[in-house]
Amino acid sequence: MSGAMRSTVTLHMVASLDGFIARKDNSISWMDSPGDVYEKGVTADGAEVLQSIDCYVLGSRTYEHALQLGWPYGDTPTVVVTSRQLPSTRKSVEFYSGDLKRLVGEVLAPRYANVWLVGGAMLGQSFLRLGLVDEIRLMIAPVLLGDGLHLFGDSGVEQKWLLENVIGYKDGYVELAYRRG
Ligand SMILES: NC(=O)c1ccc[n+]([C@@H]2O[C@H](COP(=O)([O-])OP(=O)(O)OC[C@H]3O[C@@H](n4cnc5c(N)ncnc54)[C@H](OP(=O)(O)O)[C@@H]3O)[C@@H](O)[C@H]2O)c1
């Protein structure tokens, strides 16, 4: 969407029950669906939500991992935050280096209404510390990982968030949506 005056920034990630978003070896089998286990749950259908996303924002490590796994962001505009000169791989990808408040206020706001920040931990924590996240959407996977990359880390900052929605899925995943308190 073009011509937006400000963006809504949604932090979206999949986390284990114990709060990790990646294993140390980067393997992702922990996210595999265990099949239908929760009778009262709904079946996931993210098509409408995905269509409403105007732009993805990624840290450079998430970008590199996404390229290895097979690009999941289609042709939706994607901004990769990095201080390095990374090779351009797709027309929909642009790179950004510098101040994150400027990224949101000057680069994204005039162009995109609905921005999804999809990782990783380092970039997500930077956005949260700076108060640049409007909504948190967590998909909680039904697994304890024991160790790995912690979603929130030690930010040293207390923030109140208001529960907006809870969805339980048949496969045992739970989606929690919060908006800034
Ligand atoms: N479970 C999930 O939903 C989920 C989602 C996304 C990612 N992941 C996983 O998380 C891992 C990657 O996360 P990560 O925390 O290690 O890295 P990340 O946040 O994806 O990327 C970190 C990099 O982004 C850039 N960056 C971050 N904050 C910045 C800032 N404030 N200013 C400028 N540049 C900044 C830097 O790039 P340069 O070093 O290039 O300057 C930094 O090294 C991968 O294993 C990925 O698969 C999981």
Side-chain angles (χ1 to χ4, degrees):
M1 178 185 289
S2 60
M5 294 309 289
R6 84 176 280 282
S7 309
T8 298
V9 177
T10 298
L11 174 69
H12 180 273
M13 273 188 254
V14 181
S16 64
L17 265 175
D18 48 350
F20 297 105
I21 62 160
R23 273 200 174 126
K24 284 185 175 158
D25 66 0
N26 254 347
S27 60
I28 57 167
S29 56
W30 62 274
M31 291 187 196
D32 290 349
S33 167
D36 287 357
V37 294
Y38 180 49
E39 219 174 89
K40 286 183 276 180
V42 300
T43 303
D45 176 19
E48 207 174 300
V49 174
L50 287 182
Q51 272 183 359
S52 74
I53 299 169
D54 299 315
C55 176
Y56 291 103
V57 177
L58 279 61
S60 68
R61 288 186 208 153
T62 295
Y63 168 67
E64 288 169 324
H65 197 206
L67 288 174
Q68 282 170 15
L69 290 175
W71 190 247
Y73 308 110
D75 292 328
T76 303
T78 299
V79 175
V80 176
V81 181
T82 182
S83 60
R84 293 176 286 156
Q85 296 287 327
L86 294 173
S88 183
T89 49
R90 306 179 65 90
K91 271 193 187 156
S92 57
V93 172
E94 64 183 272
F95 298 101
Y96 176 85
S97 151
D99 183 64
L100 297 180
K101 282 190 178 167
R102 188 183 152 268
L103 168 65
V104 173
E106 295 178 29
V107 178
L108 301 175
R111 294 156 71 195
Y112 306 117
N114 189 15
V115 172
W116 273 37
L117 168 61
V118 289
M122 189 189 282
L123 190 61
Q125 288 167 23
S126 296
F127 265 68
L128 283 166
R129 259 194 309 275
L130 292 166
L132 295 174
V133 177
D134 301 296
E135 185 186 40
I136 296 174
R137 281 198 193 206
L138 283 187
M139 285 292 279
I140 306 295
V143 57
L144 292 167
L145 278 185
D147 72 358
L149 180 63
H150 206 280
L151 169 55
F152 292 117
D154 296 323
S155 77
V157 180
E158 179 179 323
Q159 298 176 356
K160 299 264 192 248
W161 289 79
L162 302 175
L163 184 65
E164 211 171 33
N165 199 20
V166 179
I167 305 175
Y169 291 97
K170 283 202 183 304
D171 62 4
Y173 272 74
V174 177
E175 184 176 357
L176 303 172
Y178 297 89
R179 66 187 153 83
R180 176 175 290 289

